[in-house]
């Protein structure tokens, strides 16, 4: 009954895994009914190496010491990998006689006496090794070995799926991060950005930020006004990330093709392009332009908001305003929309904060309360340099990881005398 229960439990538990860490976590209690092993280890094959997947919740200090083993190391696990078969070490004497002192020392520090290493076969290759270990000498009979071997097949399927998902998510993350813009170097304006992926590694979002200078006027002169954007494409998958890249590029082009570079005109052009092409894009964004008033030191902010959370503006006296003016979100089903824009004077030394909804929408938290807390934080710490301010915001947002990607962009216009 114990053997049958193990196989049933393995088929159910391991079918639901989503990554290597999840597989490792579920292995911890999976084998308790068969021979009660004291430890079950998971090692995944790399190029001429085995990588130990450490338990994410239990601190095995010794396990952390030996995370990577060359495949030619004299360990039972690497032997199982090299010889592509199960390797059984009945006791310490057999370990001393057949393996390296490092293997004996590791086993002693972990408290192992009997070890069974089973190769994990994927559909096309050997994926790694499952190590089942007992603190006291344990006789592994024919039935038990057959059961453990069968269970290792379920483990192998879970590992293969996890490796595929981890690789796909890694590629998507790299793609998304590659599409995030390098911030422009500005002589006067300080600007810093924060991007934090969702806690759920499978969620690839469409959040982005952008910042760039308009062409100099006159040509050859100082860089023009600063355009800044923060947006969020609907969805949490590779499609959302690729649509984000398209929308970001289209909005840049729409801005530069419509002098005198009105944010509302650019968003209107984006709506039209998405409806005509068509591009399956929907979401929210704020698109803004920051100009130095002739003669300085104050600035002017002009923005158009397509259904996005309100930007925050902190003036040098510590007062924080919500820039609540907005239009509807963008969606090709809504058709082309004549966007509006709002203009506001920005005193020298002010800080502008744009963010995506992942910062304020958290499980168990009211959005209005989160915005109020963010306003209070900006009022208290908004005089810090933008990079330090974003670290403070990141600390505030920590706790249970965000269920969505988070983007925050902070812009500080210089005080008088720093122009």
């Amino acid at each position: 009954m114990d053997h049958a229960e193990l196989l049933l439990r393995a088929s159910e538990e391991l079918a639901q895994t989503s990554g290597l860490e999840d597989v490792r976590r579920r292995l911890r209690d999976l084998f308790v009914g068969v021979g009660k092993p004291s430890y079950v280890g998971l090692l995944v094959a790399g190029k001429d190496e085995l990588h130990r997947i450490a338990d994410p919740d239990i601190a095995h200090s010794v396990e952390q010491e030996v995370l990577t083993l060359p495949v030619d190391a004299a360990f039972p696990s690497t032997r199982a990998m090299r010889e592509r078969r199960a390797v059984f070490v009945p006791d310490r004497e057999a370990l001393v006689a057949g393996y390296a002192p490092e293997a004996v020392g590791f086993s002693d520090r972990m408290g192992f006496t009997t070890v069974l290493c089973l190769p994990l076969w994927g559909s096309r290759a050997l994926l790694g090794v499952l190590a089942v270990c007992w603190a006291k000498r344990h006789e592994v009979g024919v039935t038990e070995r057959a059961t453990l071997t069968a269970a290792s097949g379920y483990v192998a399927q879970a590992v293969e799926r996890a490796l595929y998902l981890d690789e796909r998510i890694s590629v998507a993350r790299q793609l998304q991060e590659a599409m995030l813009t390098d911030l422009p170097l500005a002589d006067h304006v300080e600007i810093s950005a924060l991007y934090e992926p969702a806690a759920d590694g499978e969620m690839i979002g469409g959040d982005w930020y952008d910042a760039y200078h308009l062409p100099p006027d006159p040509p050859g002169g100082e860089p023009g006004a600063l355009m800044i954007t923060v947006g969020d494409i609907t969805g949490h998958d590779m499609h959302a990330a690729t649509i984000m890249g398209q929308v970001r590029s289209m909005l840049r082009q729409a801005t530069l093709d419509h002098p005198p570079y009105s944010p509302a005109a650019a968003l209107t052009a984006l709506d039209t392009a998405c409806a005509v092409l068509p591009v399956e894009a929907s979401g929210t964004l704020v698109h803004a332009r920051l100009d130095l008033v002739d003669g300085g030191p104050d600035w002017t902010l002009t923005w158009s908001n397509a259904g996005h959370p309100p930007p925050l503006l902190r003036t040098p006296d510590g007062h924080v305003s919500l820039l609540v003016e907005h239009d509807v979100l963008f969606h090709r089903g809504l058709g082309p929309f004549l966007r509006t824009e709002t203009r506001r004077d920005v005193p020298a030394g002010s800080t502008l904060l744009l963010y995506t909804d992942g910062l304020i929408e958290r499980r168990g938290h009211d959005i209005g309360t989160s915005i109020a807390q963010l306003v209070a934080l900006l009022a208290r710490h908004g005089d810090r340099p933008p990079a330090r301010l974003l670290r403070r915001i990141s600390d505030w947002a920590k706790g249970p990881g965000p269920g969505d990607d988070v983007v925050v962009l902070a812009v500080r216009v210089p005080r008088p005398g720093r122009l």
Side-chain angles (χ1 to χ4, degrees), residues 116-166:
L116 174 64
C117 291
L118 300 166
L120 298 175
W121 287 99
S123 58
R124 289 176 290 183
L126 185 58
L127 303 174
V129 173
L130 183 72
V132 186
C133 311
W134 290 266
K136 296 180 179 179
R137 183 182 173 93
H138 181 75
E139 296 295 335
V140 182
V142 174
T143 302
E144 184 176 355
R145 181 178 291 212
T147 301
L148 292 173
T149 301
S152 73
Y154 290 112
V155 176
Q157 292 175 17
V159 168
E160 188 165 43
R161 182 172 60 254
L163 289 172
Y164 170 74
L165 289 174
D166 287 349

Side-chain angles (χ1 to χ4, degrees), residues 38-370:
S38 59
Y39 172 85
V40 178
L42 176 63
L43 299 98
V44 175
K47 184 179 180 181
D48 300 324
E49 292 177 331
L50 274 179
H51 303 283
R52 187 182 307 280
I53 307 301
D55 191 310
D57 301 319
I58 298 179
H60 291 286
S61 59
V62 180
E63 180 190 29
Q64 297 281 356
E65 293 175 13
V66 189
L67 290 177
T68 301
L69 290 171
V71 76
D72 58 357
F75 276 67
S77 55
T78 52
R79 183 176 181 183
M81 183 74 183
R82 289 192 308 272
E83 299 182 5
R84 299 171 178 263
R85 65 175 181 86
V87 170
F88 181 63
V89 182
D91 50 36
R92 188 178 188 279
E93 288 73 18
L95 187 67
V96 171
Y99 299 93
E102 293 80 7
V104 177
F106 176 76
S107 181
D108 287 346
R109 294 194 301 277
M110 290 289 285
F112 303 154
T113 298
T114 300
V115 177
L116 174 64
C117 291
L118 300 166
L120 298 175
W121 287 99
S123 58
R124 289 176 290 183
L126 185 58
L127 303 174
V129 173
L130 183 72
V132 186
C133 311
W134 290 266
K136 296 180 179 179
R137 183 182 173 93
H138 181 75
E139 296 295 335
V140 182
V142 174
T143 302
E144 184 176 355
R145 181 178 291 212
T147 301
L148 292 173
T149 301
S152 73
Y154 290 112
V155 176
Q157 292 175 17
V159 168
E160 188 165 43
R161 182 172 60 254
L163 289 172
Y164 170 74
L165 289 174
D166 287 349
E167 181 180 6
R168 187 179 69 178
I169 291 166
S170 175
V171 169
R173 287 273 183 234
Q174 291 176 40
L175 171 64
Q176 186 178 26
E177 291 175 6
M179 289 190 291
L180 295 175
T181 309
D182 290 334
L183 297 174
L185 297 176
D187 292 335
H188 310 305
V189 176
E190 298 176 77
I191 182 168
S192 188
L194 168 70
Y195 168 73
E196 292 185 345
D200 184 348
E202 291 187 75
M203 296 178 69
I204 307 300
D207 292 29
W208 89 95
Y209 60 83
D210 201 2
Y212 53 92
H213 286 288
L214 293 174
D217 185 20
E222 292 292 322
L226 181 68
M227 301 299 301
I228 51 178
T229 311
V230 165
D232 184 2
I233 297 297
T234 305
H236 301 98
D237 52 23
M238 189 68 142
H239 179 69
T242 54
I243 291 295
M244 175 268 283
Q246 289 180 276
V247 168
R248 187 197 67 164
S249 298
M250 291 166 64
L251 184 57
R252 277 189 165 201
Q253 189 67 48
T255 301
L256 296 174
D257 280 352
H258 291 82
Y261 312 113
S262 155
L267 277 182
T268 300
L270 175 66
D271 280 332
T272 302
C274 288
V276 171
L277 288 177
V279 176
E280 297 289 340
S282 65
T284 67
L285 65 86
V286 174
H287 189 47
R289 170 177 169 162
L290 195 58
D291 291 270
L292 178 64
V293 176
D294 290 342
D298 293 335
W299 299 69
T300 299
L301 177 70
T302 307
W303 76 94
S304 186
N305 186 329
H308 201 75
L312 306 181
L313 179 65
R314 181 192 187 276
T315 50
D317 60 3
H319 178 73
V320 177
S321 301
L322 274 72
L323 308 184
V324 296
E325 296 83 357
H326 67 89
D327 297 324
V328 299
L329 56 77
F330 65 94
H331 189 291
R332 66 179 292 250
L334 299 176
F337 186 86
L338 186 60
R339 298 286 173 179
T340 62
E341 64 188 27
T342 307
R343 181 171 298 173
R344 177 162 180 161
D345 293 335
V346 177
S350 298
T351 300
L352 177 68
L353 195 73
L354 286 75
Y355 53 94
T356 56
D357 58 8
L359 183 66
I360 55 172
E361 290 184 355
R362 290 172 177 265
R363 193 173 301 165
H365 291 75
D366 176 73
I367 294 178
T369 301
S370 294

Side-chain angles (χ1 to χ4, degrees), residues 16-20 22-23 26 161-162 165-166 169 200 202:
Q16 303 173 30
T17 55
S18 57
L20 282 177
D22 190 22
V23 174
R26 292 175 187 260
R161 182 172 60 254
L165 289 174
D166 287 349
I169 291 166
D200 184 348
E202 291 187 75

